[in-house]
């Protein structure tokens, strides 16, 4: 497979996943705010922190009002992480590999882009937002499912799956990071019921609430939620599960030593830590290390399999 | 209300399907009968079905606008154009003859230039040529062929006679639309095939693949063949991707390839560099290799020309092949055929007056109001004089231009292109068409059965380009 093609399909996987996760995030935050009493509710600012774009946001918007944050995350084409940008990027990456992926991939991505653009106003309005975001999530899942059912398990599949899982692992860590560090107020007893609600919102933003209940068999509480979201080996959005998927694909690649090292090191890091015992600061550090590890895996993939950067193009074999 | 062909007004022009209003030509009688059975609503419904099929099949062409690249659906008209096989056999013969002579001509220009020494082709024209590549002098491409894929534009004039209007020897496009048009007709007009067995066209990708294999410098069982595209913003990107897919080859961009210090071409794959034997390049000479041509090209592959000259990779078409498709060279094609093959041309050129010769120039200057004057080194209709519709002042200005630099001008009579019935809303009207068949030259020479018929959808218009309101039709060669 051409390096360029591998790169495009990898990014297509990442961007589709990014659009989906961003949609989840907004939806769950909206519901969470309805459940929390005034004064406790953290508002919309944390969503920008999750995506790590405070600087960019503050440069263009004057406050963290619901309208501004939602606009930035859904419809701002200058924000590379907005749903509209991510879907557009997914489609642009698909454009040059239309001969590699099933035909319906391109059509679905085109439809989803058109839907997202044409219905943007209703997506930004309180009333239409939920339905709009659900449609984005469904569209992304449709695409993921369709590829899962029709794409041959060759290199194209490997790169798609690695892109999707790295992005997913990254988003899971970000959601937990911000929800734990910035959102939760100090542990006072009168707010205990709301803490549960917030942990439920963490689970729900990852569509993991039901799976958590079934798997962990305990009520929603911090330590168990963290173990589930980082280390569960059966839930497809847990960090460890995502890393296993990446490792599985890396194993089938040629010349894979660097990638294998990067991914197995990260797996150990994620799996061997007693997450439930980490206090907020340690947890934040742990998450930082995972994110660093994820970007190392990405770099190993990029330097091993993608096109070299422009200035390094000429030269010998 | 059934379709009424009595109102079909051919205006005295040659129509491909109807000899007169309401009277079909013999090869088209079944088609016309089918059309008469339909009413306005049926016709509109079929056209809608075709438009939908095109959309679903994703047949597009790209238009570049300020808002970015836009994929437009390929415009297609459901009424096929029919050409009798007996006539087509002659056309195919003529096209093979033409391409054979042009290839000998190109090879000669890059070697001994005998045709110039023998006084048949003027040295001045070569000296002025924008598409002659000094970098290619002395190179011997495989099989001595330079233009492996040629698309020649054919037109009929008012009396039905076919002429060659131009030859495209650089990167001719359109063949994918020829193939897709047939698919669409099969989907939306299946009953037409009850009366006709049009010769199939879908062999083309295999023929192209075989032609490219013939050129491989390494004699291996499965040479590595790639299609080189300038990228997604090229108007013909759909076709590049389509052909790569149909042939089962990689579609590559310049940055996917590299040339090593032994002048061998590789593509970058996830398993490491992989050697490439034949490149079907759909990128212009000038942008192909920044080392040899335009330094600022971001689309090319540094060292590609080196690799080609060393014989380590084959390029189709060969760089420099475009020398034979400028307008003044065109005017010499009858002489070129005669010189290399000792034959008369089977298909005539559109009569062309070369202003560099006094007798022809005098005729042009006396008849500016009847002629179209074209400068040699412009394309896309720039700097032309349409004598019929021009003002006296414009004609005077052109007369001065011609006298000052006669070598730069040719003139041709205004052609009234033939027409084919075309769906306009819910009825049929005549619209002008041309035809682009494709000729493949490898170990053998093959001509597509038919070609791409382009149709000017605006009433009276002769402009068939899809970017300017042109459409297309399925083209049938039938044994009638």
């Amino acid at each position: 497979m051409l390096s360029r093609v591998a790169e495009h399909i990898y990014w297509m996987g990442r961007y589709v996943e990014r659009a989906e996760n961003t949609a989840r995030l907004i939806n769950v935050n909206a519901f969470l705010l309805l459940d929390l009493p005034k004064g406790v509710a953290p508002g919309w600012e944390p969503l920008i922190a999750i995506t790590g774009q405070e600087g960019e946001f503050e440069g263009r918007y004057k406050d963290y009002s619901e309208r501004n944050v939602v606009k930035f995350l859904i419809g701002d084409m200058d924000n590379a992480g907005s749903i509209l940008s991510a879907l557009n990027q997914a489609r642009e990456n698909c454009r040059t590999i239309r001969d590699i992926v099933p035909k319906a991939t391109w059509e679905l991505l085109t439809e989803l882009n058109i839907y997202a653009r044409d219905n943007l106003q209703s997506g930004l309005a309180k009333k239409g937002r939920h339905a709009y975001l659900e449609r984005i999530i469904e569209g992304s899942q449709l695409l993921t499912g369709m590829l899962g059912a029709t794409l041959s398990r060759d290199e194209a599949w490997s790169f798609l799956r690695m892109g999707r899982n790295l992005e997913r692992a990254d988003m899971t860590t970000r959601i937990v990071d911000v929800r734990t560090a910035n959102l939760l107020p100090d542990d006072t007893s009168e707010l205990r019921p709301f803490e549960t609600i917030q942990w439920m919102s963490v689970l729900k933003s990852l569509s993991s609430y039901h799976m958590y209940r079934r798997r962990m068999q305990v009520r929603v509480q911090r330590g168990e939620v963290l173990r589930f979201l980082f280390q569960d080996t059966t839930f497809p959005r847990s960090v460890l599960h995502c890393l296993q998927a990446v490792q599985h694909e890396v194993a089938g690649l040629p010349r894979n030593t660097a990638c294998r090292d990067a991914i197995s090191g990260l797996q150990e890091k994620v799996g061997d830590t007693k997450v439930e015992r980490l206090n907020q600061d340690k947890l934040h550090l742990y998450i930082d290390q995972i994110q660093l590890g994820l970007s190392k895996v990405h770099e190993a993939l990029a330097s091993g399999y993608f096109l070299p950067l422009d200035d390094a193009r000429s030269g010998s074999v | 209300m059934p379709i009424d062909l009595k109102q079909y007004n051919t205006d005295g022009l040659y129509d491909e399907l109807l000899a007169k209003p309401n009277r079909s030509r013999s090869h088209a009688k079944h088609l016309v009968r089918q059309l008469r059975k339909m009413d306005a609503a049926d016709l509109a419904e079929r056209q809608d079905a075709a438009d939908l099929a095109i959309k679903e099949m994703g047949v597009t062409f790209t238009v570049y606008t300020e808002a970015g690249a836009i994929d437009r659906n390929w415009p297609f008209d459901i009424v096929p154009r029919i050409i009798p096989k007996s006539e087509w056999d002659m056309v195919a013969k003529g096209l093979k003859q033409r391409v054979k002579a042009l290839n000998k001509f190109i090879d000669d220009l890059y070697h001994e230039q005998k045709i110039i020494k023998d006084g048949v082709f003027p040295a001045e024209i070569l000296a002025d040529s924008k598409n002659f590549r000094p970098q290619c002098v002395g190179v011997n491409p495989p099989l001595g062929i330079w233009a492996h894929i040629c698309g020649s534009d054919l037109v009929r004039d008012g009396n039905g006679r076919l002429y060659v209007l131009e030859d495209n020897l650089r990167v001719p496009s359109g063949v994918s639309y020829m193939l897709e048009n047939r698919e669409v007709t099969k989907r939306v007009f299946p009953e037409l095939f009850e009366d006709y067995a049009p010769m199939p066209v879908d062999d083309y990708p295999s023929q192209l693949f075989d032609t490219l294999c013939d050129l491989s410098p390494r004699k291996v069982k499965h040479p590595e063949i790639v299609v080189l595209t300038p990228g997604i913003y090229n108007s013909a990107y759909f076709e590049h991707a389509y052909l790569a897919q149909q042939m089962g080859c990689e579609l590559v961009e310049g940055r996917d390839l590299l040339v090593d210090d032994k002048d061998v071409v590789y593509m970058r794959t996830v398993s490491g560099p992989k050697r490439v034997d034949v490149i079907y390049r759909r990128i212009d000479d000038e942008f192909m290799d920044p080392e040899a041509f335009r330094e600022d090209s971001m689309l090319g592959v540094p060292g590609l020309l080196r690799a080609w000259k060393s014989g380590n990779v084959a390029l189709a078409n060969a760089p420099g092949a475009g020398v034979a498709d400028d307008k003044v060279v065109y005017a010499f094609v009858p002489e070129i055929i005669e010189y290399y093959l000792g034959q008369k041309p089977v298909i005539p050129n559109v009569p062309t007056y070369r202003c560099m010769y006094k007798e022809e120039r005098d005729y042009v200057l006396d008849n500016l109001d009847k002629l179209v004057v074209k400068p040699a080194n412009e394309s896309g209709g720039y700097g032309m004089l349409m004598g019929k519709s021009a003002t006296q002042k414009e004609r005077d200005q052109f007369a001065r231009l011609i006298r000052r630099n006669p070598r730069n001008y040719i003139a041709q009579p205004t052609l009234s292109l033939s027409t084919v019935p075309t769906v306009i809303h819910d009825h049929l009207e005549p619209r002008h068409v041309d035809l682009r068949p494709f000729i493949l030259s490898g170990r053998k020479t093959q001509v597509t059965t038919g070609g791409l018929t382009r149709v000017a959808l605006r009433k009276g218009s002769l402009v068939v380009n899809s970017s300017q309101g042109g459409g297309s039709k399925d083209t049938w060669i039938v044994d009638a």
Side-chain angles (χ1 to χ4, degrees):
Chain A
M1 162 169 285
L2 286 175
S3 298
R4 178 176 50 83
V5 170
E7 191 172 348
H8 281 306
I9 201 159
Y10 169 87
W11 280 111
M12 184 179 86
R14 279 198 89 135
Y15 279 118
V16 170
E17 187 69 23
R18 191 170 297 177
E20 182 187 331
N21 283 327
T22 306
R24 286 172 185 286
L25 206 59
I26 300 169
N27 245 352
V28 170
N29 199 62
F31 283 128
L32 172 66
L33 293 186
L34 298 181
D35 283 335
L36 292 175
K38 291 262 179 303
V40 174
W44 288 88
E45 187 171 346
L47 295 199
I48 303 297
I50 283 179
T51 53
Q53 291 170 298
E54 297 95 327
E56 203 188 328
F57 180 87
E58 284 167 14
R60 288 215 308 281
Y61 295 86
K62 68 179 196 307
D63 59 39
Y64 283 96
S65 68
E66 173 172 354
R67 181 153 184 91
N68 282 348
V69 170
V70 167
K71 190 174 168 210
F72 181 76
L73 291 177
I74 295 182
D76 190 334
M77 286 303 278
D78 294 326
N79 167 15
S82 75
I83 291 176
L84 239 56
S85 299
L87 288 176
N88 184 51
Q89 287 295 324
R91 182 166 181 264
E92 286 307 311
N93 275 287
C94 182
R95 188 191 285 276
T96 58
I97 51 168
R98 280 164 75 176
D99 50 331
I100 308 289
V101 292
K103 211 172 162 191
T105 316
W106 171 254
E107 287 166 20
L108 264 172
L109 270 173
T110 302
E111 271 175 40
L112 199 55
N113 263 285
I114 292 172
Y115 173 83
R117 231 183 10 240
D118 289 355
N119 296 281
L120 180 62
Q121 284 320 312
S122 100
L124 293 177
K126 263 194 171 130
K127 184 172 156 232
R129 192 167 63 213
H130 179 72
Y132 177 85
L133 294 172
E134 284 297 318
R135 175 75 193 270
I136 301 291
I137 294 170
E138 278 169 20
S140 306
Q141 292 195 323
L142 185 58
L143 195 83
T144 303
M146 197 264 305
L147 286 167
T150 55
L151 188 63
S152 292
R153 296 315 194 243
D154 57 11
E155 284 160 328
W157 172 255
S158 290
F159 282 97
L160 176 78
R161 192 157 178 240
M162 289 189 291
R164 180 195 302 146
N165 279 285
L166 286 174
E167 180 72 26
R168 194 179 279 174
D170 184 68
M171 199 56 141
T172 298
T173 64
R174 283 175 192 279
I175 288 174
V176 174
D177 193 18
V178 175
R179 290 294 181 193
T180 52
N182 296 354
L183 273 186
L184 299 175
D186 290 339
D187 201 3
T188 55
S189 58
E190 83 239 36
L191 288 175
R192 181 68 41 84
F194 298 119
E195 195 201 330
T196 304
I197 287 178
Q198 289 198 306
W199 280 112
M200 278 169 65
S201 109
V202 171
L203 289 170
K204 281 181 181 169
S205 57
L206 294 162
S207 288
S208 57
Y209 178 64
H210 292 288
M211 292 302 127
Y212 170 88
R213 297 309 294 241
R214 264 182 47 201
R215 177 85 172 159
M216 307 306 274
Q217 305 273 318
V218 291
R219 70 177 199 83
V220 175
Q221 49 191 312
R222 182 179 187 272
E224 299 301 309
V225 172
L226 290 177
R227 279 212 303 139
F228 183 70
L229 291 181
F230 281 97
Q231 297 172 333
D232 191 82
T233 52
T234 59
F235 182 62
R237 310 191 82 83
S238 92
V239 175
L240 198 57
H241 189 275
C242 292
L243 296 180
Q244 284 171 339
V246 176
Q247 185 206 30
H248 179 83
E249 300 307 331
V250 163
L253 294 178
R255 307 175 298 130
N256 62 3
T257 320
C259 290
R260 253 182 15 220
D261 290 351
I263 188 76
S264 58
L266 183 56
Q267 275 176 298
E268 278 166 31
K269 176 83 214 158
V270 171
D272 295 350
T273 305
K274 298 251 177 270
V275 274
E276 66 278 17
R277 295 202 193 144
L278 300 176
N279 65 21
Q280 295 296 33
D281 289 346
K282 291 263 170 58
L283 180 64
H284 183 67
L285 201 66
Y286 172 70
I287 287 173
D288 265 2
Q289 285 168 334
I290 296 176
Q291 287 179 357
L292 201 66
L294 288 169
S295 72
K296 282 209 175 116
V297 175
H298 168 78
E299 280 159 24
L301 285 172
S303 68
Y305 305 106
F306 299 165
L307 280 187
L309 297 171
D310 271 354
D311 47 355
R313 262 188 56 198
S314 50
S316 57
V317 175
Chain B
M1 204 175 66
I3 288 171
D4 183 7
L5 288 169
K6 289 192 198 82
Q7 303 303 318
Y8 185 86
N9 184 1
T10 57
D11 251 342
L13 300 176
Y14 185 91
D15 190 90
E16 304 266 342
L17 301 185
L18 294 156
K20 285 180 191 166
N22 212 25
R23 219 183 82 204
S24 58
R25 294 191 186 277
S26 68
H27 62 261
K29 65 173 189 250
H30 299 301
L31 170 59
V32 172
R33 184 169 42 92
Q34 290 275 9
L35 291 172
R36 279 207 192 94
K37 277 199 235 161
M38 301 171 69
D39 63 18
D42 288 338
L43 197 64
E45 200 178 299
R46 298 282 177 142
Q47 185 61 51
D48 287 348
D51 295 344
L52 187 65
I54 297 261
K55 204 173 163 188
E56 283 175 357
M57 289 159 69
V59 188
T60 59
F61 68 103
T62 309
V63 187
Y64 196 75
T65 68
E66 281 173 9
I70 299 171
D71 286 337
R72 292 224 182 117
N73 290 328
W74 176 246
F76 171 80
D77 180 84
I78 55 171
V79 182
R81 178 228 201 124
I82 301 183
I83 299 172
K85 184 169 180 299
S86 52
E87 183 184 21
W88 188 253
D89 289 342
M90 284 304 285
V91 171
K93 192 174 152 206
L95 291 169
K96 286 181 187 173
Q97 175 198 50
R98 201 170 168 96
V99 169
K100 201 170 165 195
L102 286 170
N103 269 307
K104 284 180 182 291
F105 172 66
I106 302 166
D107 201 54
D108 188 17
L109 289 187
Y110 288 112
H111 291 91
E112 292 168 59
Q113 306 195 336
K114 278 191 247 163
I115 193 167
I116 295 177
K117 287 172 192 151
D118 289 338
V120 176
F121 187 79
E124 310 88 276
I125 294 180
L126 186 64
D128 282 354
S129 169
K130 271 189 182 167
N131 294 313
F132 181 77
R133 308 268 171 242
Q135 296 93 329
C136 300
V137 169
V139 178
N140 291 304
L143 309 172
I145 298 170
W146 293 70
H148 313 91
I149 299 106
C150 170
S152 292
D153 291 347
L154 304 178
V155 292
R156 275 189 216 275
D157 70 358
N159 57 31
R161 177 111 206 231
L162 272 170
Y163 297 91
V164 178
L165 183 63
E166 62 182 51
D167 307 289
N168 297 283
L169 301 172
R170 282 170 281 178
V171 286
S173 63
V175 78
S176 59
Y177 302 115
M178 170 188 92
L179 300 169
E180 293 287 56
N181 283 355
R182 177 63 52 86
E183 286 305 305
V184 178
T185 311
K186 283 179 186 166
R187 282 199 196 188
V188 303
F189 238 147
E191 60 269 55
L192 289 186
F193 293 80
E194 288 165 14
D195 299 312
Y196 289 105
M199 292 174 66
V201 291
D202 45 15
D203 259 5
Y204 181 82
S206 342
Q207 292 173 353
L208 175 61
F209 187 76
D210 292 345
T211 302
L212 296 170
C213 283
D214 288 348
L215 310 177
S216 173
R218 279 196 305 171
K219 298 301 159 208
V220 290
K221 202 165 175 202
H222 300 289
E224 190 70 50
I225 293 168
V226 300
V227 178
L228 174 62
T229 175
I232 51 174
Y233 297 114
N234 187 274
S235 59
Y237 182 77
F238 167 82
E239 176 157 307
H240 308 161
Y242 179 91
L243 290 174
Q245 202 169 18
Q246 293 288 318
M247 292 193 290
C249 308
E250 294 289 358
L251 176 66
V252 303
E253 295 177 16
R255 57 202 167 115
D256 294 322
L257 301 179
L258 68 98
V259 180
D260 74 355
D261 48 15
K262 296 188 187 66
D263 298 345
V264 176
V265 182
Y266 296 87
M267 57 179 168
R268 303 173 200 268
T269 77
V270 294
S271 319
K274 193 168 179 200
R275 180 161 180 177
V276 172
D277 298 294
V278 182
I279 301 174
Y280 177 26
R281 52 104 180 189
R282 295 291 301 258
I283 183 168
D284 288 331
D285 282 0
E286 285 189 297
F287 294 96
M288 205 165 67
D289 177 356
E291 225 178 80
F293 301 110
R294 283 179 59 156
E295 282 173 38
D296 60 343
S297 170
M298 305 293 289
L299 306 170
V301 185
L304 191 55
L305 197 78
R306 248 192 295 132
W308 174 68
K309 285 168 111 168
S310 311
N312 291 330
V313 71
L315 295 173
N317 290 347
V323 66
D325 80 0
D326 82 42
K327 292 195 178 61
V328 182
V329 173
Y330 165 84
F332 284 87
V333 173
E335 281 92 337
I336 289 170
I337 293 173
E338 184 105 41
Y339 179 79
Y340 292 105
L341 306 177
Q343 298 167 358
K344 292 277 171 214
V346 177
I347 320 171
N349 262 14
V350 176
T352 303
Y353 304 96
R354 299 162 292 195
C355 297
M356 62 189 294
Y357 297 122
K358 182 171 185 311
E359 224 170 274
E360 299 180 29
R361 177 168 68 244
D362 288 346
Y363 177 84
V364 171
L365 291 170
D366 289 344
N367 292 279
L368 276 177
D369 56 335
K370 299 186 193 73
L371 298 172
V372 179
V373 184
K374 301 175 179 176
N377 286 324
E378 297 280 356
S379 63
Y382 292 104
M384 275 173 42
L385 175 81
M386 308 292 286
K388 236 181 201 169
S389 55
T391 61
Q392 187 58 43
K393 200 177 152 199
E394 288 167 321
R395 286 197 288 264
D396 290 345
Q397 188 199 348
F398 258 78
R400 278 196 301 278
L401 287 171
I402 292 169
R403 284 200 190 91
R404 201 180 305 151
N405 187 7
R407 213 160 64 213
N408 194 38
Y409 292 94
I410 58 155
Q412 294 170 336
T414 316
L415 290 176
S416 45
L417 305 189
S418 61
T419 59
V420 179
T422 300
V423 179
I424 303 299
H425 305 304
D426 57 1
H427 62 286
L428 296 170
E429 288 183 22
R431 286 293 183 269
H432 292 292
V433 294
D434 76 349
L435 176 63
R436 176 178 289 183
F438 296 85
I439 307 100
L440 293 172
S441 309
R443 283 189 206 289
K444 52 183 176 177
T445 308
Q446 301 171 87
V447 180
T448 49
T449 39
L452 175 65
T453 291
R454 297 185 297 178
V455 51
L457 294 174
R458 256 175 296 148
K459 190 170 189 167
S461 168
L462 299 172
V463 181
V464 294
N465 302 59
S466 49
S467 54
Q468 296 176 51
S472 72
K473 284 172 167 291
D474 192 9
T475 308
W476 288 10
I477 306 302
V478 299
D479 209 347

